[in-house]
Amino acid sequence: MLLVMPMRATTVRFSEDLWQLLDDESTLQGISAAQFVRDATIVRLAFLAGRRGDSDSEQSIEAIAERATRRQQGTHASGSAVHAPERLAELRRSGLLDSPPEESFDRLTRLTSTVLNVPVALVSLVDSDRQFFKSCVGLAQPWSSERQTPLSHSFCQHVVESRRALVISDAREHPVLRDNVAIRDLGVIAYAGAPLITPDGHVLGTLCAIDHKPRHWTTEQVEILCNLAGSVLSEIQLHAVQHNQG
């Protein structure tokens, strides 16, 4: 696998395993693989310059890093899928936010919990500053009554950003999510989330399965979760039609 980076047409060769790891981690951080490699290179160059005592190089590297950070912040603010206006507009048109529980959704989360043998299953809709649970099975109080958490507790926002399933065996060991407060507050240790992608291409949220202990998710289990997510999406579309007709 080749990663072609724009500056000076640099070509870096990765194995498939390394490429997948790089792709997964850069997606979780909301940056491109090339940005991830560039940031790692800056850190390495700064370390080597500091070890040599090369103050001029250190200052140059700090200036490069500062400019890159400003560019990334601007890009992230405008390019975040979570905060995309079109996605948020479709989420609001669905009429699901802050709507009461419905058996059609609860049936699917119960089925997810049973089939995958997990204590918690959620239909999570990712808003601009929170995730709202249209359906939740096995969630502890006060979260089950509130049916929402801030994005600070959200693993599902990363699924919205990446547009693909996110599978984590032990969040406490994950380099990006290990400090997420959902581990402490909601007991999220193992997580599998499948995206809910509308016909217009917007990811409204996830159907996710959560365990309070580490576990290995099989390929079959992830496929089942994705298939059940398709059923959830059908219910979302039906709800949106009824909501807009009313």
Side-chain angles (χ1 to χ4, degrees):
M1 178 67 69
L2 295 178
L3 172 64
V4 179
M5 302 173 68
M7 49 278 202
R8 299 191 181 181
T10 302
T11 301
V12 181
R13 185 177 296 276
F14 292 111
S15 68
E16 289 293 336
D17 290 344
L18 183 56
W19 175 263
Q20 187 61 54
L21 181 61
L22 171 63
D23 193 36
D24 289 345
E25 296 306 324
S26 60
T27 297
L28 283 173
Q29 296 191 37
I31 61 177
S32 68
Q35 287 175 316
F36 190 98
V37 172
R38 181 199 58 200
D39 291 350
T41 302
I42 289 172
V43 170
R44 180 63 175 169
L45 288 173
F47 169 77
L48 292 173
R51 192 167 67 176
R52 289 195 306 267
D54 189 342
S55 59
D56 290 340
S57 292
E58 279 189 293
Q59 292 174 3
S60 297
I61 293 166
E62 288 174 1
I64 293 169
E66 183 179 357
R67 290 196 300 271
T69 300
R70 286 199 299 268
R71 287 198 300 271
Q72 283 187 28
Q73 288 173 341
T75 300
H76 185 72
S78 61
S80 167
V82 168
H83 297 96
E86 298 84 359
R87 188 194 74 85
L88 292 173
E90 184 165 4
L91 178 58
R92 282 160 176 72
R93 284 195 302 270
S94 73
L96 290 169
L97 290 176
D98 299 314
S99 63
E102 296 179 54
E103 177 60 21
S104 57
F105 288 93
D106 292 343
R107 187 183 305 115
L108 290 168
T109 49
R110 289 196 301 268
L111 181 59
T112 300
S113 176
T114 300
V115 173
L116 299 184
N117 190 28
V118 292
V120 180
L122 309 171
V123 173
S124 176
L125 303 172
V126 179
D127 202 356
S128 59
D129 59 354
R130 59 171 177 157
Q131 54 182 3
F132 171 72
F133 304 134
K134 176 59 183 174
S135 178
C136 53
V137 169
L139 201 59
Q141 294 289 358
W143 313 105
S144 60
S145 296
E146 295 179 357
R147 298 175 60 221
Q148 64 179 359
T149 73
L151 286 186
S152 59
H153 292 66
S154 176
F155 286 26
C156 299
Q157 63 179 313
H158 299 296
V159 178
V160 173
E161 290 290 351
S162 68
R163 302 176 57 82
R164 63 188 182 191
L166 175 62
V167 179
I168 298 171
S169 296
D170 189 340
R172 297 168 302 181
E173 298 179 355
H174 194 278
V176 174
L177 296 172
R178 63 190 175 194
D179 295 324
N180 191 294
V181 288
I183 298 172
R184 177 196 67 204
D185 294 346
L186 280 75
V188 181
I189 302 300
Y191 171 96
L196 301 171
I197 305 177
T198 70
D200 289 335
H202 298 126
V203 185
L204 301 187
T206 75
L207 172 65
C208 64
I210 293 168
D211 207 335
H212 301 313
K213 60 182 184 297
R215 65 178 293 164
H216 170 69
W217 302 95
T218 67
T219 300
E220 182 183 18
Q221 287 174 329
V222 176
E223 289 177 353
I224 290 171
L225 183 67
C226 291
N227 288 333
L228 288 170
S231 298
V232 172
L233 185 61
S234 296
E235 293 297 332
I236 289 175
Q237 293 173 290
L238 179 60
H239 188 283
V241 170
Q242 295 172 339
H243 174 75
N244 293 322
Q245 285 178 344

